Amino acid sequence: MVNLEWYRTFKAIYKTGTLTGAADSLFISQPGVSLHLSSLEAYVGYKLFDRTGRKMIPTERGKVLFNAVAEPLSKLEDVEKNFQKSTEKLTPTISVGMCFETFQTTLEQYVSTLPFNLIISFGEYPEMLDQLDKGILDLIITPKKGVSPNIEHEAFSSEQIILVGGKEVDTESFLKTLKIKGIEHAEEWLKQEKWYGTTGDMEHLFQFWIMNFGHKPNFRPNYIVPNLNSIIRCLKGGTGLAVIPNFLCKNEIESGEVKLIWEGEKKLENTLYFGCRKKTNYQSEIDHIKGLFRKVMNKM
């Protein structure tokens, strides 16, 4: 059975000409608009819009469908307005992008307290910047700044990328090798240990290795796990090494469950930014989320 909201979304896209415009008028996320449209197109069996750049151009079949549903939808919306309480307001939906580990460490604990709807998206930073620019996301947390003139970046914290290990790793042996035999022997010492990495994302390890040894690591991690928080839990077993942001394992280092092995000859630090579009309908909701991030990061 067709969902009535699909037709309302279709009408909003037709009227505004963009997915972003439809999302704003309906107070839903752009991914939600895209899902409604694709569901309706699958249901009716043909394409309703041609996508040219950011514009949505109705097909001939789309025009026919609009003419068929526009007036009935308008009448239904009038009925809805008459029966709706005058004080009732639509709850906005905010789409936020960040890495999985950042969400778990910061925002996850506050989700149930938010006075608005929330969609969390995980992905690579270039992809999130592109989705922010296109209006799919409303806010992103990123260590990288984009170049789009539509996006503004606000620095709010920093992270240091460090080498950590299980409590059974012989830290004294490594530091002795580094001090007496030098950086090349220290690199060989590290390569003999067991290493943890995450699926598809080796950027922290690459950056750390290039900064301290002048080249990318010429080895692969022994264990590939889903995310950085998984690595921390694995390191609690006592052995192994990994390169991760310091704020993710601060508590484990302080409790002795995980060791800080080395900060590097040169410290690798990333600035963390809030990224959002310069024009947004959700400024108060975005400011609310920013405040929660600052609250958490100030405690770390």
Side-chain angles (χ1 to χ4, degrees), residues 115-129:
F116 46 83
N117 300 328
L118 178 71
I119 298 175
I120 294 293
S121 176
F122 305 123
E124 301 297 323
Y125 296 121
E127 178 187 8
M128 288 194 290
L129 283 164

Side-chain angles (χ1 to χ4, degrees), residues 16 49 136 152 175 209 222:
T16 63
F49 294 96
I136 299 174
E152 59 183 9
L175 295 176
W209 218 262
N222 306 88

Side-chain angles (χ1 to χ4, degrees), residues 184-227:
E184 292 184 2
H185 286 84
E187 181 183 13
E188 291 302 315
W189 189 99
L190 292 173
K191 289 163 60 177
Q192 301 308 309
E193 295 293 308
K194 298 291 186 180
W195 280 84
Y196 286 92
T198 58
T199 306
D201 183 9
M202 305 296 291
E203 186 173 356
H204 291 139
L205 177 60
F206 287 170
Q207 287 182 331
F208 188 88
W209 218 262
I210 291 170
M211 178 165 284
N212 288 284
F213 303 114
H215 58 86
K216 288 185 177 181
N218 56 1
F219 65 92
R220 295 284 299 172
N222 306 88
Y223 311 116
I224 301 296
V225 297
N227 55 68

Side-chain angles (χ1 to χ4, degrees), residues 9 12-13 16-31 33-34 53-56 130-138 277 279-282:
T9 301
I13 298 171
T16 63
T18 66
L19 297 178
T20 303
D24 290 343
S25 67
L26 295 171
F27 293 94
I28 63 176
S29 68
Q30 186 168 324
V33 170
S34 298
R54 296 186 183 181
K55 284 289 185 182
M56 303 292 286
D130 181 61
Q131 290 179 339
L132 177 64
D133 191 30
K134 292 178 178 178
I136 299 174
L137 295 174
D138 300 301
R277 292 186 302 282
K279 295 182 179 180
T280 176
N281 293 329
Y282 308 119

Side-chain angles (χ1 to χ4, degrees), residues 110-168:
Y110 295 109
V111 168
S112 64
T113 70
L114 297 176
F116 46 83
N117 300 328
L118 178 71
I119 298 175
I120 294 293
S121 176
F122 305 123
E124 301 297 323
Y125 296 121
E127 178 187 8
M128 288 194 290
L129 283 164
D130 181 61
Q131 290 179 339
L132 177 64
D133 191 30
K134 292 178 178 178
I136 299 174
L137 295 174
D138 300 301
L139 173 70
I140 63 173
I141 313 302
T142 174
K144 296 183 178 180
K145 297 174 68 174
V147 296
S148 171
N150 300 319
I151 298 174
E152 59 183 9
H153 296 84
E154 178 187 353
F156 72 95
S157 187
S158 63
E159 61 181 8
Q160 183 181 345
I161 310 304
I162 57 176
L163 173 63
V164 297
K167 58 187 176 183
E168 295 179 13

Side-chain angles (χ1 to χ4, degrees), residues 36-52:
H36 286 181
L37 176 59
S38 62
S39 299
L40 181 59
E41 288 181 328
Y43 179 80
V44 299
Y46 46 79
K47 194 160 82 167
L48 300 173
F49 294 96
D50 288 319
R51 297 155 177 80
T52 52

